[in-house]
Amino acid sequence: MKKLLYASIILLASCSQQNSEENTDAKKQFVSVEGIDSSIKPGDNFFMHVNGRWYDTAQIASDQSGVGSYSFLNIPQKQLLENILEEVAAADNPAGSIEQKVGDFYASGMDVDAINRRGFEPIQPILNRIEAVNSIPELMTFVTEEIKSSSQSIISVGISPDDENSSINIAHFGQTGLGLPDRDYYFKTDSASTGIQKAYVTYLATLFQLTGSKETVAQAAAQKVYSLEKQLAESHKTRIERRVVKENYNKMSVAELNRKQPAIGWSAMLDQLGLKTDSVDIRQPAYYQALNRMLESVPLVDWKTYIKAHTLASFADVLSKPFEDASFDYQKEISGQSKQLTRAQQMVQKVDRQLGYALGQLYVKRHFNEDAKQRVLDLVNNLQKAFESRINQLDWMSDSTKIQAKEKLYAITKKIGYPDKWRTYDVAIAKDKYFENVLALRQNDAKFMLDKFGKAPDKAEWHTTPSTVTAYYSPSTNEIVFPAGILQYPYFDLYADDAINYGGIGMVIGHELTHAFDDQGAQYDKDGNVKNWWTDEDYEKFKAKTQQLIERYDSFTVLDSVHVKGAMTIGENTADNGALYIAYEAFKLTKQGQDTTRIDGFTPDQRFCLSIARIWRVKTRDEFLRTYVNTNSHSPAVWRVNGPLMNFDPFYTAFNVQPGDKNYKAPEDRIKIW
């Protein structure tokens, strides 16, 4: 379980060749005029006005759930990583070097014949340990030991700063134990959700059959596991409830936990994990209360069946092809993909996930322009100044709260490109031991996490790999992070004009800065502690404004009738809306922003808005979008464009948006927070 991180992820292109060709054209003309659909008025649907012709012709590859910008820009990124891995895997690298580790791990996973010959033999020792369990205390010993291999089933633990004392890392325990995308899926009755439920139960039954169970026995076992998960799901907080920061921080003494939840065995578990402490944070206490009751009432044999299922699911994608196929058959119900990724692309994901900072070093050497680092730092500094100006202009905030807000704004740490200190991996990687490599790397990850306990947070640590197209803000460390992966077109280009960059990476920067002041970030002070720095009156005004935004986004739909969840997405929506004004104000500080010269036929303000619509250009499968709306804290791409722009006064002027246009809002109905 990771500490709160706010991610803004980005993607592009149906295939790497198309992406490359599109980018080549974009270098010459940064506004993608070929995507513009002039039959759609800007004030009716700006997302489709800018992207309509592209949207109507874009093809989603059968092994993908979407295409375009946003997180799908990681598709061509992964092709670059595949090229690197193919190169280093074929080379004779010094033992222990990062090239040897990433190259041999990749090669071991590419040897599918060897993997298929082993079947489920690699996991048999773990299954034998489950079979040998004879009591609930022994079951909890097994569960705890598996945490050391990053396999968390009914217990989820993470090590990160204490919410009320950010100078020290403590243990946080959160709700877990489910196999469906979200607790709500266990209680939904619509056809799409019941289809996912059935696919999941089928998946579990297949896992049991692949490890020797007869069909009828496997089906009964799968139903038993699903029943236990549904009971656990009843105790889970919803995603909306988990947004309330103070209600998801509950420091409790170990003595009290031992007394109230004896079946869990808190002292023994903490000792086994090497966490010497007299208190821990229980993020969602109701879950652990329910778990304790179930450990006391559910037969041990059922728990062993449950643990076996979750163990198999945890390793299914690193076993032989039948296990991998079973996993995909379930996942495609969620993603809509009809075809699995190539083996090479699957291994790219695994290497990036488990040796990401080693692979990241190789990526940065080959594909990152160091000049971008300083240019983006300049942009960040300009947006900070613009944000300060916005704070000074707020008519709903008192001077005393403004002082606190500006102190927090300028205390934000900025990380750009790649870490100053690279994470190392003290793991021996063998070219012919794929499963053993995976297990060793998972154990290394768990040790890396557990070793943080009781120490001051490492200010140099990153929570995303450099090649990933993403960005984030962390409230507990008050930092913004922009990895090398996002510092490319359409978000950023060293040779683009200011309108394009401020409407692109400027929006992303403004978005992450605003997260420091959204419904969750606003509850943390400049040092990363949950601490009230607002006057009561100011905070009530702030909540009233966020409620307006919640109600506005509740009215937005996709797939005709699926509503955006305003309360679940309020943090991201606040950041999107704030970013628009902050990036624009920073843009207006530039020479071009103060000019009226047209480029490619568009004014500076028009190009700024066009860039915004371009960075969220995306097309997804319906299955993916439905799951996204139900589980993701971001609004769908169309509303990341149209939603903020309907509140943005310069947009109305730039594109002559008038009453009667579908997305027109009267000036008094345009919601402005930051």
Side-chain angles (χ1 to χ4, degrees), residues 242-253:
R242 278 159 39 211
R243 291 201 64 80
V244 184
V245 174
K246 291 184 179 179
E247 292 180 8
N248 290 273
Y249 173 77
N250 302 279
K251 203 98 170 272
M252 301 180 69
S253 71

Side-chain angles (χ1 to χ4, degrees), residues 186-199:
Y186 290 87
F187 311 107
K188 290 175 175 286
T189 57
D190 62 278
S191 59
S193 298
T194 56
I196 292 173
Q197 293 166 10
K198 291 176 182 176

Side-chain angles (χ1 to χ4, degrees), residues 21 72 88 97 105 125 136 177 182 277 327 407 467 470 490 601 640:
E21 290 172 355
F72 300 103
V88 296
S97 64
F105 181 44
I136 291 299
D182 181 77
T277 182
S327 177
E407 286 183 0
S467 63
T470 189
R640 299 195 72 175

Side-chain angles (χ1 to χ4, degrees), residues 559-574:
L559 302 175
D560 295 328
S561 60
V562 179
H563 281 262
V564 174
K565 297 183 177 182
M568 187 177 79
T569 57
I570 182 57
E572 302 299 336
N573 299 335
T574 300

Side-chain angles (χ1 to χ4, degrees), residues 556-625:
F556 299 156
T557 60
V558 294
L559 302 175
D560 295 328
S561 60
V562 179
H563 281 262
V564 174
K565 297 183 177 182
M568 187 177 79
T569 57
I570 182 57
E572 302 299 336
N573 299 335
T574 300
D576 282 345
N577 280 266
L580 193 52
Y581 271 103
I582 295 163
Y584 180 75
E585 191 150 323
F587 170 54
K588 300 309 280 186
L589 296 175
T590 69
K591 181 179 179 181
Q592 187 196 43
Q594 297 168 16
D595 197 3
T596 58
T597 302
R598 290 176 179 265
I599 302 177
D600 301 333
F602 299 99
T603 67
D605 281 14
Q606 287 175 332
R607 289 169 66 77
F608 175 84
C609 294
L610 289 166
S611 183
I612 292 166
R614 177 63 182 82
I615 66 173
W616 302 126
R617 172 187 286 184
V618 66
K619 180 179 182 178
T620 68
R621 299 189 186 279
D622 290 353
E623 297 91 337
F624 174 89
L625 183 56

Side-chain angles (χ1 to χ4, degrees), residues 393-413:
Q393 296 171 49
L394 294 176
D395 60 4
W396 57 269
M397 181 181 280
S398 67
D399 289 343
S400 60
T401 304
K402 286 179 180 179
I403 291 172
Q404 297 292 320
K406 288 184 286 187
E407 286 183 0
K408 180 176 183 180
L409 173 65
Y410 281 106
I412 292 174
T413 300

